[in-house]
Amino acid sequence: MMNIPIFDCHCDTSVHAHELGKALRRNDMHLDLERLSQYAPTGQVFAVCAVEQPDPIGFADGEIAFFKEQIEKNSDIVKLCLNFSDINSAANEGKIAALLSIEGAEQVRDADKAYADGVRVVHLTWNYDNELCGAAMASGSGLTDKGRVFVRRCQELGIMLDMSHISERGFWDVLEIGSRPVIAGHSNAKAVCSVPRNLSDEQFKALVGIGGGAGINLYPEFLGHGCDLDAVFSHIEHFMSLGGEKSVFLGCDLDGIEETPRGISGVEDLGNIYELLLRHNYPEALVRGIFRDNIMSVLERAL
């Protein structure tokens, strides 16, 4: 496993570890720092999501504090990254590059405060509409005026926007006004599994066109087709057919999903996907792109 690089665009591990009284370094969840550090070089986006919290901003403040405390306690193997140079430094130091994400912008006071808190990835919505935009699982409405201001400010600051939960109308609104690449960090292909959270071919091709892309989500309900490694391959192969060689990456959603596909118990098994792609005669350079290089290219231009 040591020769496999990885940079995963989405996990919910930190929030659930805090909720369950567990640590990030070693736990019995889908992901912990020790298992993640077996890959090299390694990067991970850690999301904060206030699911049905009465005070989402207060909740997020507490979760950010817990996350930073865990990073500091484990600074021998992980580094909080605030820019692309930090990500490269973490790799050179043999540490996990950790990025902080907010999943649902109702958790932030404004983009500047989020940036000051160390947030470098923001989803405008989770599964509910908010003051900025409609959600894919809710009304489907687009960006509000406040949402447009927020999008522009995030991109001025160098906060990468994640479109995974946004409505399709909101998705196109963001792309219309955006100036930097955006991603759908944990979304699959709607043509393979038709659920609202997955991307249409037109959406994915638009992400390719702006230098962004999509992270493959391991949630069985978003995979379909047997909910196994072959289903994972089907989504990757479909995106590849749309010109996604530089625009597909991993957004496994570990610890944010109730179950994993057959063949994957946790982060320690992601090498099974790597080996599967090699067995399908994907060149190793292309597989390394999916596992790390593609999202690194996006991050260099988005942060």
Side-chain angles (χ1 to χ4, degrees):
M1 188 184 292
M2 290 296 289
N3 63 338
I4 295 178
I6 199 166
F7 202 117
D8 180 79
C9 292
H10 194 86
C11 77
D12 289 278
T13 305
S14 182
V15 169
H16 291 299
H18 193 196
E19 176 185 33
L20 298 170
K22 299 179 186 291
L24 278 190
R25 189 180 190 97
R26 183 185 303 162
N27 59 55
D28 58 358
M29 300 164 60
H30 289 156
L31 181 149
D32 61 35
L33 298 178
E34 288 190 354
R35 282 176 286 158
L36 183 58
S37 67
Q38 296 305 301
Y39 301 91
T42 318
Q44 179 67 56
V45 178
F46 290 87
V48 171
C49 185
V51 179
E52 299 179 347
Q53 294 290 329
D55 176 16
I57 291 176
F59 176 86
D61 286 346
E63 292 303 326
I64 290 170
F66 171 79
F67 173 73
K68 289 181 175 179
E69 175 188 273
Q70 290 290 302
I71 298 298
E72 181 63 29
K73 281 184 177 179
N74 297 287
S75 60
D76 59 320
I77 59 171
V78 65
K79 175 177 181 149
L80 177 62
C81 297
L82 302 178
N83 51 51
F84 190 72
S85 177
D86 285 349
I87 296 172
N88 283 327
S89 295
N92 292 334
E93 295 165 19
K95 296 181 180 180
I96 299 164
L99 291 181
L100 177 59
S101 169
I102 291 291
E103 191 172 16
E106 63 274 12
Q107 298 174 90
V108 302
R109 292 172 180 83
D110 55 58
D112 289 84
K113 178 63 166 61
Y115 188 85
D117 285 340
V119 175
R120 291 300 180 268
V121 183
V122 168
H123 302 65
L124 295 180
T125 66
W126 185 60
N127 284 341
Y128 306 108
D129 297 348
N130 58 28
E131 292 182 349
L132 304 182
C133 193
M137 303 293 285
S139 73
S141 57
L143 282 180
T144 64
D145 290 343
K146 186 174 181 179
R148 291 174 187 275
V149 171
F150 185 87
V151 165
R152 291 190 177 101
R153 185 58 181 154
C154 281
Q155 295 207 319
E156 288 171 359
L157 290 167
I159 295 175
M160 185 169 69
L161 295 172
D162 191 321
M163 303 285 100
S164 277
H165 283 277
I166 201 172
S167 67
E168 184 164 355
R169 183 176 166 192
F171 173 95
W172 294 114
D173 287 347
V174 170
L175 265 62
E176 181 182 347
I177 66 172
S179 57
R180 294 183 191 240
V182 301
I183 65 170
H186 55 304
S187 293
N188 296 336
K190 192 173 286 186
V192 178
C193 182
S194 184
V195 296
R197 274 277 283 100
N198 285 344
L199 297 169
S200 69
D201 289 359
E202 292 73 21
Q203 286 177 296
F204 181 74
K205 287 189 284 189
L207 290 173
V208 172
I210 63 167
I216 299 297
N217 191 322
L218 296 184
Y219 187 35
E221 287 192 18
F222 297 164
L223 287 171
H225 284 260
C227 304
D228 54 14
L229 289 176
D230 288 337
V232 174
F233 177 74
S234 293
H235 287 273
I236 294 173
E237 182 79 341
H238 185 76
F239 283 150
M240 289 294 166
S241 76
L242 302 175
E245 292 85 357
K246 301 292 186 182
S247 300
V248 178
F249 19 87
L250 299 180
C252 297
D253 209 0
L254 295 178
D255 293 311
I257 54 180
E258 294 86 7
E259 55 182 326
T260 55
R262 286 190 298 280
I264 303 288
S265 296
V267 69
E268 66 274 15
D269 295 327
L270 295 184
N272 294 343
I273 300 174
Y274 196 95
E275 293 167 3
L276 174 74
L277 295 173
L278 293 178
R279 289 199 302 272
H280 279 280
N281 296 317
Y282 276 41
E284 186 146 18
L286 180 58
V287 181
R288 292 176 75 89
I290 293 167
F291 266 65
R292 182 176 174 88
D293 295 345
N294 291 348
I295 187 58
M296 286 287 284
S297 178
V298 179
L299 288 166
E300 186 173 13
R301 287 169 287 128
L303 294 181

